[in-house]
Amino acid sequence: MKPQFYQTALRSRLAHMISELLFEEVITCTHHLNNYTVELPQATYSFKGWKTIWGMVRIIPQSIRRNQSEDISPIQFMIDAQHQLNISDITLANYIEDLQNTLYSESIYYEKLDTVSLSQLADLTDVNLEQYLNAHPKLIANRGRIGWGTSSLSAYSPESGKFFKLNYLAIKKSYCSYGFSENYSQLNMMEDLFDENESLFVKELLKRKSVSLENYILMPVHPWQYQHYIQPQFSALFHNKTIIDLGVLGDFYTPRISIRTLTNVSRPNKPDLKVAITIINTSCYRGIPAKYIKVGHQISDMLKQIISSDKFLSTSGMNILEEFAGIHCDHPYQSQIANPPYRYNEMLGAIFRTQDRSLCQENERCVLTSSLAQTDKNGKPLILEYIARSGLSVSEWILQYANTVIVPLYHLMCKYGIAMVSHGQNISLIMKDYIPVSAILKDFHGDLRIADSIFDEHKHLSKDVRDTLTHLPANYLIHDLVTGHFLTLLRYVSPLLEEHAEFPETSFYQNIKNALSAYISNHPELAERFKLFPLFETEILKVTSNKVWFKVGYGDTAERPLPELGTPLKNPFVGGLNV
């Protein structure tokens, strides 16, 4: 860990921390022009910055001072601000561990980012680009990965860029929950996971164990998870042959930015795997819940059918990363407890998913929409390089993005009452010659919800899908787009264009409004639905994340933590300025 990159991590993390805590109204500031001050009981923090259209303060990291000293630390800030944060000693101590881990990983990340130019970043696509992407934009401790040490980070973190093989298990079908698409079988799974010799090895191994593959199902397991949780916690099932250890086999994989999603690097045309890793990262344990496993493929099939039969969606280029197989195993004893910590029943599971690059045609590239908020080592935004290469103006490119991504998501909500939590890791963007042409939806296990209103379109959903998906009131569902995409992604993109391209934030949101308004005008048949899901209200609810974590802390809970509301925001789509 080189000192200069650790210092970069310290200042960028503190700038991000103060900005988000001000936005969530956990702390307050005073300012004159671009000079800001945060008064705390033990210290005064001063810095330079400016307010965005959302009321977020963009802070210049190098300008931050503590009691007029350049000696600053986000850890010390948390201690200084403990009273304002309303955080207990125990939670603060745990949060400091999370932050220390984040700083360590972030310093390594900045060292890696220093090796590439903006042009080189723009050349990268999908998994190769994700090694260089920032972590969760809203959460302060966003690379904590509590449970991993330095050797695990070096081997398995996205920024490491390392390749590794997986452990494989054969588990009795009678013990598992699983769901497969009609056109996908265990034979297909064998072909996706192993070469011919390894497939023969697996069959021979099971034969020597006097068991039949027909009665078992294959389960890929992350090597860290296998060592730390599966071997010790499921030992009884190994001994009675409910689980048979197949060893380390198959292809090499590399982690995506979400850590538990793995991409095949030996055979890039093979599926991505999403596997359980029982570490705390960005506010929860990263396991695989059982709830969606049996119907995950049905949800994918439902979305594919809707998109293909809907002229507007198919013309817009919307697509999905199909989840065509899922497997989950409860813990033999934890599952008998009524409300155990959720992590204990999310330790062993896997999801098979289409790889994004398989949807790309010639001269197309796929990137996470979170890449639009990415900058290079000098702070220059990646989105501007995309726009420059596209040959479009900033205004034209944003309008094209809105028509490709935002409008189809809104149509899916209004026409079908279906919403995706549309943050930058759930929505990918396909660009042809760097022009947006297609939005790709993924990660339907928990992040896809439906309206609790009576929609005729829901009659076509299977009972299993209807019963499994979360049902939300329309005024909540709208936030999967507003909070998920506007506040969790575009809030960070629009200031970059104003800073570096002199493209005003007001113009940015006017372009998006123009696209949405044209869509609304062209679909009078959905007039009542537009009233149900309004985007142009004078105020938008502010959904916060960090202060929930301060309240809930790091103790075990039966459910994952939920966000809280702050003071409503003035809506930029109707000229609202949060200054």
Side-chain angles (χ1 to χ4, degrees), residues 109 113 132-134 370-376 380-383:
Y109 161 76
L113 188 63
Y132 299 92
L133 294 185
N134 282 318
S370 62
S371 68
L372 304 183
Q374 183 63 38
T375 61
D376 73 352
K380 295 179 180 178
L382 182 56
I383 185 175

Side-chain angles (χ1 to χ4, degrees), residues 118 381-394 397 433-434:
L118 183 64
L382 182 56
I383 185 175
L384 273 184
E385 184 69 13
Y386 290 156
I387 293 171
R389 294 186 181 193
S390 73
L392 301 180
S393 68
V394 175
W397 200 95
D433 298 322
Y434 296 93

